Amino acid sequence: MSISNRLSNIAKEIPQNVTLVAVSKTKPIKAIQEAYAAGQRIFGENRVQEMVEKHENLPKDIQWHLIGHLQKNKVKYIAPFVSLIHGVDSFATLKEIDKQAKKNNRTIPCLLQIKIAEEATKFGLSFENAEQIINAQETKALSNVEIIGLMGMATFTDNQTQLKKEFESLKSFFDKTEYKTLSMGMSGDYQLAIQEGSTMVRIGTAIFGTRN
Ligand SMILES: *Cc1c(COP(=O)(O)O)cnc(C)c1O
């Protein structure tokens, strides 16, 4: 099946109020062009360098989402153009994004990444630390960064009960905030994530095929 066929099948499955981020990491420009031709405008990348290169070589109406862990010293490279940063997991990163956004005369929307998975390797804030950042005066004082929601990655498992539990925990925390965007769900678990209240899914493999 072609990229555009897979994309249109997924688009049909996703409710209107759920935003599809096509995760194009490791995929060539050609693959993105095919998805673009099919109407997709939002793409997700997890490496700064790769996203910068793709941004330079593709149409400027693409909205680039940085979905992976972001190192502070790399924020400056994406600050001029990034449209949403999903993986903010410290106040220090938020502060750096604010600083670089200011230099570029813009406000950068961000999501706080919450750790909901069991695996020790996944980045993210605890609910407690997220709450501290959300409520801190220092956060409210940042003028060029806007937290618009939360992001979470569930455990890599087929266990639906566990996935459901993890998505539910993030959704119930989200419901206590006033945010509008809840980024959860990937190729293997987006249907469940949507059932559990996701407003933004990040789908790579199911659109572009497996990665090397
Ligand atoms: C790679 C990645 C995805 C997409 O994963 P697929 O399983 O290929 O859909 C989503 N979110 C993040 C943070 C990723 O790094």
Side-chain angles (χ1 to χ4, degrees):
M1 217 196 290
S2 68
I3 289 172
S4 58
N5 279 334
R6 291 202 207 106
L7 202 50
S8 77
N9 287 343
I10 290 170
K12 273 180 225 145
E13 260 186 274
I14 292 178
Q16 286 267 310
N17 62 317
V18 175
T19 303
L20 171 62
V21 179
V23 176
S24 49
K25 64 187 184 194
T26 78
K27 295 295 171 182
I29 297 279
K30 223 176 108 250
I32 301 176
Q33 282 166 333
E34 194 177 331
Y36 182 90
Q40 182 66 25
R41 291 294 179 272
I42 304 176
F43 293 89
E45 291 284 336
N46 70 339
R47 289 180 191 279
V48 164
Q49 180 66 27
E50 188 175 341
M51 190 166 96
V52 168
E53 278 168 23
K54 286 174 172 170
H55 168 255
E56 280 167 6
N57 290 294
L58 283 156
K60 292 298 171 280
D61 63 340
I62 287 179
Q63 296 165 46
W64 293 101
H65 287 201
L66 203 279
I67 59 169
H69 182 69
L70 177 59
Q71 284 171 271
K72 262 190 338 179
N73 62 343
K74 295 194 174 164
V75 174
K76 57 177 176 287
Y77 302 114
I78 58 167
F81 70 90
V82 67
S83 79
L84 181 61
I85 298 176
H86 289 235
V88 177
D89 64 358
S90 73
F91 178 74
T93 303
L94 210 52
K95 207 172 151 191
E96 178 64 15
I97 296 168
D98 181 66
K99 181 178 155 192
Q100 298 300 335
K102 239 177 234 137
K103 282 191 186 167
N104 286 279
N105 255 312
R106 60 182 298 235
T107 297
I108 299 180
C110 293
L111 306 177
L112 294 179
Q113 181 172 357
I114 314 283
K115 182 175 155 34
I116 54 171
E118 264 183 359
E119 291 118 329
T121 54
K122 298 237 162 95
F123 290 101
L125 295 156
S126 64
F127 289 121
E128 200 179 5
N129 287 341
E131 206 168 322
Q132 282 166 359
I133 291 179
I134 291 167
N135 295 323
Q137 280 310 320
E138 292 97 313
T139 304
K140 290 170 188 157
L142 301 176
S143 52
N144 292 59
V145 69
E146 189 189 3
I147 302 173
I148 64 163
L150 305 174
M151 181 270 220
M153 269 173 104
T155 302
F156 189 71
T157 177
D158 285 336
N159 184 335
Q160 298 297 302
T161 313
Q162 180 170 359
L163 290 172
K164 189 168 184 312
K165 196 183 75 190
E166 292 176 1
F167 289 142
E168 267 173 0
S169 72
L170 185 52
K171 175 63 158 71
S172 71
F173 182 78
F174 175 75
D175 284 342
K176 290 187 264 171
T177 71
E178 286 173 355
Y179 299 143
K180 297 279 187 296
T181 303
L182 180 56
S183 168
M184 59 181 198
M186 313 183 7
S187 292
D189 57 21
Y190 68 90
Q191 285 103 340
L192 186 58
I194 290 169
Q195 276 174 38
E196 297 305 325
S198 170
T199 71
M200 186 175 274
V201 289
R202 309 176 308 271
I203 301 181
T205 313
I207 296 169
F208 295 106
T210 52
R211 288 178 296 270
N212 293 326

